[in-house]
């Protein structure tokens, strides 16, 4: 049972880190695209 | 960005397939039991970290030759993703080590050189933050990206060059792995490679957008 706990902890860490990075760079892309559009319109 | 979306979906699907192979398809290891299944994503993360740092190495050289900032963007993006996967390796390793070795950490050559690798590329990313001038930043970072890669073969061969307790699965005959375990490992490596490609495409797009904003703002 203890072995399962370590396994669960390991995969949780993997998916939290990968998920956080995946989502955060995705939202950053859309933010930057909006900013580029705004700056281009200003010009 | 249709390619990006297709790659994102394919990466998520492949990670789900890899999970199926790691948890259901692959047989249980007799001595270690369930915790051995962390090995599939741990080893895949290590391979992707090495590959990511290799990409940084190659594109740092290309930047110094061609002076094209796209190469610098790719080098930076790959180093950041490499750090992410290296962090996963350094966290999942001790989680496996505690039940397998009885300790969270030991200053084994493989563990020590991997930690040094993490610090080298953390230093690379910090250096980029500290230098404001784009040309100087790219040139200095390229030098670190090239010299820092020296540690990657040291990490890989550390288990052959020095006495170590770290398992060696990448060797002739597959390191005694069951054929189904080898299949699960290869699927995981492929899934992580697709994920790496998806992340690199997205992260490089961020770097080029940031450069564009800097030039528009003057």
């Amino acid at each position: 049972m203890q072995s399962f706990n370590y396994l669960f902890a390991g995969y949780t860490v993997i998916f939290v880190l990968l998920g956080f990075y995946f989502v955060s760079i995705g939202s950053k892309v859309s933010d930057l695209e909006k900013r580029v559009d705004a700056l281009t319109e200003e010009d | 960005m249709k390619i990006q979306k297709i790659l994102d979906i394919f990466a998520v699907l492949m990670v789900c397939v890899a999970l199926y192979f790691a948890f259901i398809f692959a047989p249980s290891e007799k001595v270690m039991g369930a915790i051995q299944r962390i090995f599939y994503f741990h080893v895949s993360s290590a391979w992707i970290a090495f590959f990511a740092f290799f990409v940084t190495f190659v594109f740092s050289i290309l930047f110094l030759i061609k002076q094209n900032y796209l190469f610098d963007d790719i080098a930076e993006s790959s180093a950041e993703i490499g750090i992410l996967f290296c962090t996963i390796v350094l966290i999942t390793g001790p989680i496996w080590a505690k039940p397998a070795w009885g300790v969270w950490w030991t200053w084994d050559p493989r563990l020590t050189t991997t930690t040094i690798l993490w610090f080298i590329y953390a230093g690379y990313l910090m250096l980029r933050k500290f230098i404001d001038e784009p040309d100087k930043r790219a040139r200095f970072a390229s030098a670190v990206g090239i010299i820092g890669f020296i540690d990657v073969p040291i990490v890989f061969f550390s288990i052959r060059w020095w006495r170590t307790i770290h398992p060696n699965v990448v060797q002739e005959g597959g390191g005694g792995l069951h054929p189904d375990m080898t299949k699960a490992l290869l699927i995981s490596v492929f899934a992580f490679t697709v994920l790496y490609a998806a992340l690199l495409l997205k992260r490089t797009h961020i770097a080029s957008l940031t450069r564009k904003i800097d030039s528009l703002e003057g």
Side-chain angles (χ1 to χ4, degrees), chain A residues 3-4 6-7 9-11 13-15 17-18 21-22 24-26 28-29 32-33 35-36 39-40 43, chain B residues 15 19 23 34-35 37-38 41 80-81 84 88 91-92 95 98-99 104 199 203 205-206 209 213 216-217:
Chain A
S3 187
F4 276 105
Y6 285 112
L7 184 68
Y11 275 91
V13 166
I14 291 168
F15 284 103
L17 284 175
L18 287 179
Y21 188 72
F22 197 81
S24 70
I25 62 169
K28 197 168 180 185
V29 165
L32 290 173
E33 280 173 341
R35 200 159 161 210
V36 167
L39 286 167
T40 314
D43 286 348
Chain B
V15 170
L19 270 176
F23 278 86
I35 191 61
R37 289 179 196 274
I38 208 165
F41 278 32
E80 190 178 288
I81 298 164
L84 172 74
I88 290 173
I91 294 174
T92 54
I95 289 173
K98 179 64 180 165
W104 292 103
L199 291 173
R203 182 60 186 78
H205 188 46
I206 288 176
L209 284 172
I213 289 168
L216 283 169
E217 287 177 338

Side-chain angles (χ1 to χ4, degrees), chain B residues 151-164:
Chain B
D151 193 39
V152 172
I154 294 173
V155 175
F156 185 79
F157 289 111
S158 60
I159 49 177
R160 295 175 197 186
W161 291 343
W162 296 293
R163 285 163 64 93
T164 173

Side-chain angles (χ1 to χ4, degrees), chain A residues 10 13-14 17, chain B residues 38 41-43 45-46 49-50 53 82-97 104-122 151 155 166:
Chain A
V13 166
I14 291 168
L17 284 175
Chain B
I38 208 165
F41 278 32
H42 172 78
V43 175
S45 299
F50 291 168
F53 296 142
I83 276 274
L84 172 74
F85 283 99
C86 198
T87 306
I88 290 173
V89 172
L90 287 171
I91 294 174
T92 54
I95 289 173
W96 172 84
W104 292 103
W105 187 264
T106 175
W107 292 103
D108 176 90
R110 171 58 70 87
L111 279 64
T112 308
T113 51
T114 307
T115 308
I116 292 167
L117 187 69
W118 190 93
F119 276 106
I120 288 170
Y121 285 92
D151 193 39
V155 175
H166 192 282

Side-chain angles (χ1 to χ4, degrees), chain B residues 71-81 124-125 128 203 207:
Chain B
F71 296 148
D72 182 51
D73 290 344
I74 296 171
E76 179 195 11
S77 304
S78 194
E80 190 178 288
I81 298 164
Y124 170 92
L125 294 176
R128 299 194 68 100
R203 182 60 186 78

Side-chain angles (χ1 to χ4, degrees), chain B residues 6-84:
Chain B
I6 293 168
L7 205 55
D8 284 355
I9 294 165
F10 187 48
V12 172
L13 278 175
M14 278 314 302
V15 170
C16 293
V17 171
L19 270 176
Y20 166 78
F21 272 80
F23 278 86
I24 297 164
F25 180 82
S28 269
E29 209 273 342
K30 285 175 187 168
V31 180
M32 283 183 275
I35 191 61
Q36 184 271 340
R37 289 179 196 274
I38 208 165
F39 148 90
Y40 302 107
F41 278 32
H42 172 78
V43 175
S44 304
S45 299
W47 271 105
I48 295 304
F50 291 168
F51 182 68
F53 296 142
F54 175 70
V55 170
T56 298
F57 169 74
V58 170
F59 280 91
S60 296
I61 293 171
L62 284 174
F63 172 77
L64 291 179
I65 296 168
K66 305 271 184 188
Q67 300 288 310
N68 182 340
Y69 281 100
L70 176 66
F71 296 148
D72 182 51
D73 290 344
I74 296 171
E76 179 195 11
S77 304
S78 194
E80 190 178 288
I81 298 164
I83 276 274
L84 172 74

